[in-house]
Amino acid sequence: MSTLDKRMTAAEIVGRLSSGMTLGIGGWGPRRKPMALVREILRSDLKDLTIVSYGGPDVGMLCAAGKVKKLVFAFVSLDAIPLEPWFRKAREAGAIEVLELDEGMFQWGLKAAAFQLPFLPTRVGLGTDLVELGGLRTVQSPYDDGEVMVAMPALKLDAALIHVQRCDHRGNVQALGPDTYYDEWFAKAADQCFVSAEELVPAMEDAYPEDARANLFERCFVTGVTEAKGGAHPTSLPPDYGWDMGWFKKYAAAAKDPGDWASVAAQFVGASEAEYLASVGGMEAVGALPLPVF
Amino acid sequence: MATLAELCIAAVAEAFRTDRELVGTGIGPIPRLGVGLAKLTHSPGLMMTDGEAFLVEQPVPIGPRAYDDRKAAGYLPFSRFFDSAVWSGRRHAMVTPTQVDRFGQTNLSALGGTHAQPKTQMLGARGFPGNGIYHANSMFIPAHGPRVFVAGEVDRVSSPGYNPARRIAGGNYSAIDLKRIVTNLCVMDFGGPDNAIRVISLHPGVTFAEVEAATGFPLIDAVAGETPLPTDEQLAIIDRLDPHGIRHSVLAENPPAIRSAS
């Protein structure tokens, strides 16, 4: 009988993935990204990945490292630095395939996958280049209105990666903060969902029962859990910490000079998570990063 | 004396005039200040966010502030933005696309090259396709010129407009509602035949010929007068919503609202 103990190391989680997979990455731009798991992928041999992401530095770094075969996206941005420089380089070199979507279509595709449907209809995309460039098809309402809509295909994920504040050994998550974006739907659209957490506790009902409403999705959607303090760094994880603007500036500058990922990867990824965290000043420094205001 | 940026903010506020309760989104300092000004004067039904996840009844001043300065009255995170604001049609957004064509189609995706290898990759379509098909939209263009207002079509159509060649039989385009384009030269709308773009007011000292020369497609002259200067009451509100004076850095050389005679 299963013990429901879903604890794994980050390396064990990445060991469950394989080249050619379709991976969904939670968060939004430079916010609440599962960066510790992304860094672990960057330390691995994985390649030819299809990445599905509301993109931030996760996408930029995976593109820069040559891990990406295809990207499904609506934007890639660091917010305060609007154009993600490494993503931009990859695109302008013609190095990756893309499926460009609208932000709303994107979550609609995750929902179609979550509901085990082939597609969901929407008006979004009509009158734009997305439909033809993306090879999207239309569907006609079978009712009297006869409306023709875009059939947004399910964005079925082999695996999803998500970072939250708290998780227990069985996969009961608590995602705090003002916005959890579409993390719930990444989890539900995936065959396997791996969660990193700032704090791993044995039993959520003993540790934080008062915050059960922060249980963003049920543990049946969670395959593996790991503790990763500062696991969203350099992206933000309100209310715990803001994004690291100094880090973003160095990372963006490196895209121009030297412009070569191999020579800067060690600085931005680290040989291990412990080394990475130490290199950015440890949790003391990460925890002091001011929350961004908009 | 008022600056051109402040005149534009007042023109943005006018573009957002409404009797409805809907989310007003202004992306960038001038659009956002204009929405706040509209909300605090003639259009109290407008709803605004703190730019993160919370609805506020007092527009949040732009620029540096303490995180908890904003007072949340409601909640509208990205995780329910499409359900509540976009796909319900309860929103009017003003954005600054990189290109706009005569049909009101915009481009935020990429310039030149091919889809597989663009010459210049930009943000991506973001929410533009959904915004355009579902709710009212306006634009703010800080440097009116032919590279923004392009001849022909935009390089990539990120948001739909009134182009008949882009419509398929049976599609529902009834919610496409392009309101105003506020630029550093003039205010335009889509009130011409087949929604053609018209100039409806010129900023003080600007001529229609100057606007025409800075635009890659023909414009209709429907100028009813000068774009109004902001009132003292409006200027006081703008100053309160922009305590750091960020508006002064949006337009090149921060010109006055009335061009000098020289």
Side-chain angles (χ1 to χ4, degrees), chain A residues 2 15 31-32 80 101 142 169 176 227 246 252 254 280 289:
Chain A
S2 166
R31 316 182 200 187
R32 63 180 319 133
L101 298 170
H169 295 179
L176 310 178
E227 186 168 270
V280 298
L289 289 166

Side-chain angles (χ1 to χ4, degrees), chain B residues 206-249:
Chain B
V206 177
T207 64
F208 181 76
E210 182 184 350
V211 175
E212 231 177 359
T215 307
F217 49 81
L219 293 169
I220 294 170
D221 184 347
V223 175
E226 280 188 352
T227 311
L229 293 168
T231 65
D232 289 344
E233 184 208 354
Q234 287 178 317
L235 288 171
I237 293 171
I238 291 167
D239 199 53
R240 184 152 57 81
L241 294 179
D242 180 21
H244 305 285
I246 290 170
R247 64 190 180 281
H248 301 312
S249 60

Side-chain angles (χ1 to χ4, degrees), chain A residues 53-281:
Chain A
S53 176
Y54 289 106
D58 53 330
V59 168
M61 293 169 80
L62 290 167
C63 285
K67 300 289 193 192
V68 181
K69 177 170 183 284
K70 181 176 180 181
L71 175 68
V72 179
F73 78 113
F75 63 85
V76 184
S77 179
L78 304 175
D79 279 9
I81 301 172
L83 303 178
E84 217 290 349
W86 292 93
F87 159 70
R88 195 172 181 179
K89 272 172 84 91
R91 279 289 281 147
E92 291 171 7
I96 55 170
E97 294 171 41
V98 294
L99 173 60
E100 182 174 354
L101 298 170
D102 161 271
E103 293 165 358
M105 296 173 97
F106 185 118
Q107 56 97 28
W108 207 224
L110 293 177
K111 286 175 179 170
F115 302 146
Q116 304 178 66
L117 297 171
F119 68 89
L120 280 168
T122 178
R123 288 178 190 155
V124 181
L126 291 178
T128 76
D129 272 331
L130 297 190
V131 176
E132 191 180 330
L133 293 177
L136 305 180
R137 299 185 190 176
T138 57
V139 63
Q140 184 170 20
S141 165
Y143 296 103
D144 290 347
D145 57 87
E147 182 174 341
V148 175
M149 293 159 284
V150 173
M152 177 59 213
L155 293 174
K156 189 76 191 150
L157 309 174
D158 293 315
L161 308 176
I162 286 164
H163 188 68
V164 298
Q165 271 85 0
R166 304 165 180 161
C167 188
D168 76 8
H169 295 179
R170 297 162 299 186
N172 291 301
V173 302
Q174 288 188 354
L176 310 178
D179 200 345
T180 51
Y181 311 105
Y182 289 91
D183 286 9
E184 170 185 1
W185 299 100
F186 279 98
K188 292 176 178 172
D191 288 339
Q192 304 183 79
C193 173
F194 299 100
V195 172
S196 57
E198 294 290 319
E199 182 184 6
L200 198 58
V201 298
M204 197 61 85
E205 68 273 28
D206 295 330
Y208 298 108
E210 68 280 8
D211 291 329
R213 285 197 64 193
N215 181 217
L216 188 61
F217 45 85
E218 301 75 9
R219 66 169 162 76
C220 57
F221 296 103
V222 177
T223 308
V225 303
T226 197
E227 186 168 270
K229 291 197 192 303
H233 184 275
T235 71
S236 64
L237 188 72
D240 296 45
Y241 48 88
W243 59 51
D244 190 337
M245 200 59 221
W247 193 100
F248 285 159
K249 283 180 178 164
K250 275 185 244 170
Y251 167 80
K256 287 202 181 76
D257 177 20
D260 164 43
W261 182 252
S263 62
V264 295
Q267 176 188 352
F268 298 120
V269 179
S272 70
E273 202 53 22
E275 183 188 292
Y276 175 82
L277 198 56
S279 77
V280 298

Side-chain angles (χ1 to χ4, degrees), chain B residues 4 97 122:
Chain B
L4 185 58
M122 301 185 298

